[in-house]
Amino acid sequence: MLFVPGRKDLLEKAVAKGFKPDVLVPDMEDSVRPNEKVAARKVIAEILPEMSKKLPSVLLVPRVNSLDTGMHKQYFVSTNLTTIRFCRVD
C-alpha cells in the first residue's frame, strides 16, 4: 500500500517511477494542508482515470477526510470509484 499526497506532481512521480503497489492511496487527509484540500480533491478526481489506465493492476483507493469534518460529501460525485478510504470513523 502506497500513500501519496494529493498533488499532481507527486502522483505523476509515483506512476513515472514505476511503483506498482497492490493499492495506491491518493491522500487528501493528513498529507494535505487545509487550504489545499479543495485543489487536492480536484487533482485526484482529474488524474484517477489516467492512473487507472497506466496502472490497471493497482487498486486506487483515495483517502478522504473523516466523516465529522463534513468535507467528504463533496468528493468524487462524478468519478466512478468502487472504494474510498476514510481516515477514521468515530
Side-chain angles (χ1 to χ4, degrees):
M1 185 176 287
L2 176 64
F3 286 77
V4 181
R7 288 185 16 211
K8 187 172 184 175
D9 62 324
L10 296 176
L11 291 164
E12 288 175 341
K13 184 177 180 180
V15 172
K17 290 273 187 185
F19 294 125
K20 294 205 174 157
D22 293 331
V23 179
L24 190 142
V25 183
D27 189 12
M28 289 174 276
E29 218 281 320
D30 294 334
S31 69
V32 178
R33 294 182 183 136
N35 64 331
E36 296 174 350
K37 290 186 185 287
V38 171
R41 182 175 64 242
K42 183 178 178 187
V43 163
I44 291 170
E46 290 174 355
I47 202 169
L48 278 177
E50 176 187 335
M51 290 179 77
S52 66
K53 287 178 186 172
K54 290 183 178 180
L55 303 170
S57 64
V58 176
L59 179 62
L60 301 173
V61 182
R63 181 177 182 227
V64 300
N65 295 92
S66 64
L67 295 172
D68 63 347
T69 66
M71 296 179 76
H72 66 284
K73 295 176 184 174
Q74 309 103 335
Y75 295 131
F76 311 114
V77 172
S78 63
T79 304
N80 295 328
L81 289 175
T82 58
T83 309
I84 59 171
R85 184 179 191 283
F86 287 98
C87 64
R88 68 177 181 276
V89 178
D90 296 326

